[in-house]
Amino acid sequence: MALARLHHSIRHHLLPRKLFIHLPLLLFHSSPQPHDESRLISLINSSCKAQLLPIHAHLLRTSLLSHLPSISSAFLSRSTRFHDLAYSLLVFDQIPKPTTFHCNALLKAYSESSTPQKALPFFRRMQELGLRGNPFSSSFVLKSCVRISSLSGGKQVHARILRDGFYSDSLLLTALMSLYASCGDGEDARQIFDEMPRRDTVAWNVLISCYTRNRRTKDALHLFDEMRDENDGSEPDGITCLLLLQACANLGALDFGERIHEFAEARGYLDALNVRNSLISMYSKCGCVEKAYRVFCETPNKNVVSWSAMISGLAMNGFGRDAIAAFEEMLKVGVSPDEQTFTGVLSACSHSGLIDEGLTYFDMMRSEYRLIPNVCHYGCVVDLMGRAGLLDQAYRLIVREMGVEPDATLWRTLLGACRIHRHVALGERVIGHLIELKAQQAGDYVLLLNIYASVGDWEKVADVRRLMKDRGIQTTPGCSSIELNGEVHEFVVDDDSHPRKAEIYQKLDEICKQLKIAGYVANMDSELHNLELEGKESALSYHSEKLAIAFGILVSPPGRTIRIAKNLRICIDCHTFAKVISSVYNRLVIVRDRSRFHHFKEGRCSCNDYW
């Protein structure tokens, strides 16, 4: 009804007369000369929203909207700039013979609007009007499909691209790759990439991004060498470096990350602050804080992202006091912290057990900097309280004092604290909240199993196992990776897939004998089955991180640092194992688990057994 009234107002000039005052007289010529037509288009292109209505009224009264495609195209394009697509659609409906250009104006507007889902139905309407469209039409619809993660819609557009013969358009194929990449379909993205007649750096970057987002990190790294070996004229650029540094950070691939560092430096990409910030993050996430700090110190004009990356890097590597010192220095030099900075400093306090400092910074964030804590900040405080044994206070903070709704991650943080302190009753209550959110995962039940096992309640352990089996809940297998000469080797528990498996198991058995002589005793708290002592020890022997460490000792020279990345939290027994290894074999062993780094040296860990 509102549109109908607007249409009536436009038709009959029922608009405030003051809107006409500043419009040139040329509007009132019903048949403009070419130079007048050009001036009218210029006027349309420079008009504000309020001026569109009187112009629209004149174009309807003089039939210029119907008979001059150049004028109608200019007016429709201008109308879409003000984000009132219902009005733009009304204008489109008043054009008796719309062209592809008219349709593209609306498709582009939909792709950038808050209603991108309307692009695909309009694209079908365009085809019903007998308009074939062009590569721009398809690219706008693909952009809309990407924004709403519509794989089925993207496949429809893909079919049209094939049918209309646009498969030689590299830009369009790159956009199509982005659709498949955003929907997690790496195989189809790679197939389109392989079929492209010409590949440019953008296409390579899209594929690297696709692999990185879909956790095909090793494949993303391999593309760097593949890209440099190709003779298609493409060359890694600053964006390539950013994407690959992110991949190296995810996988803990330090050697490869150093290669990207050298490449970026040789090509002059280190002039970009975002590349330097990514280097700080990469080195930190590979457990190489010294190199992260070196890049940080050499970075001119550090911004809040630079400081936050360094503070977070120190925090995750167990250097809580240093992270706090960096935060205080940041304030001294006049850089204002943001939400990410406070996440880093609160995390530092949590990992180091600095409860008073953590609560002080949490109060500073709210009172002094007027920042509203998000669920991540509350998660750090809950973790801080939980690790310190203040479980009831942490629970009260969640249910009574938070300004945001608690999510599943927050409840899992508290559940982890219940495991540490063997608080069975609260652990069961937390599981209840997760069930209410319908967000329980296999890892939640594993934490509950840990709580029951820690107090020897094997009957409830068995009950939870039956529940998991009945519901088809499967745990995520532990996976540890280690990099050797730029190649990443991955291991799972009891792994027999590695080509050197016989040597690895032989080396691990040899290591275990040496560690027992040094006093190592397996920690049975890590085993969730009610087995005899010998059975528990056997079950613990071949965890993925132990296999990765054994491989590292097998293939690297004495004294070389061993760096391991694990997808789950390191278990108590493997933590003890790594501490003794670092002493007996005189190695620095760095393990990055799901939440932090452990630097094992001379029989001690940087976390001080507080993790």
Side-chain angles (χ1 to χ4, degrees), residues 363-397:
D363 184 62
M364 176 193 292
M365 174 186 180
R366 294 177 293 178
S367 60
E368 186 172 341
Y369 289 95
R370 304 294 182 185
L371 295 172
I372 299 174
N374 58 37
V375 73
C376 293
H377 301 118
Y378 281 109
C380 290
V381 176
V382 167
D383 189 47
L384 179 68
M385 291 178 169
R387 290 179 187 277
L390 305 176
L391 298 179
D392 293 332
Q393 292 94 317
Y395 183 77
R396 189 160 54 246
L397 174 69

Side-chain angles (χ1 to χ4, degrees), residues 329-347:
E329 182 64 24
M330 173 185 177
L331 301 184
K332 285 180 183 177
V333 299
V335 178
S336 296
D338 62 8
E339 289 86 352
Q340 187 59 44
T341 318
F342 277 104
T343 299
V345 76
L346 289 173
S347 176

Side-chain angles (χ1 to χ4, degrees), residues 423-455:
H423 198 319
V424 176
L426 184 56
E428 291 174 334
R429 202 182 313 167
V430 171
I431 284 287
H433 286 289
L434 286 167
I435 291 173
E436 285 180 11
L437 290 174
K438 298 180 180 179
Q440 66 270 26
Q441 297 177 352
D444 305 330
Y445 291 100
V446 171
L447 284 172
L448 189 60
L449 283 170
N450 272 281
I451 296 172
Y452 289 140
S454 68
V455 297

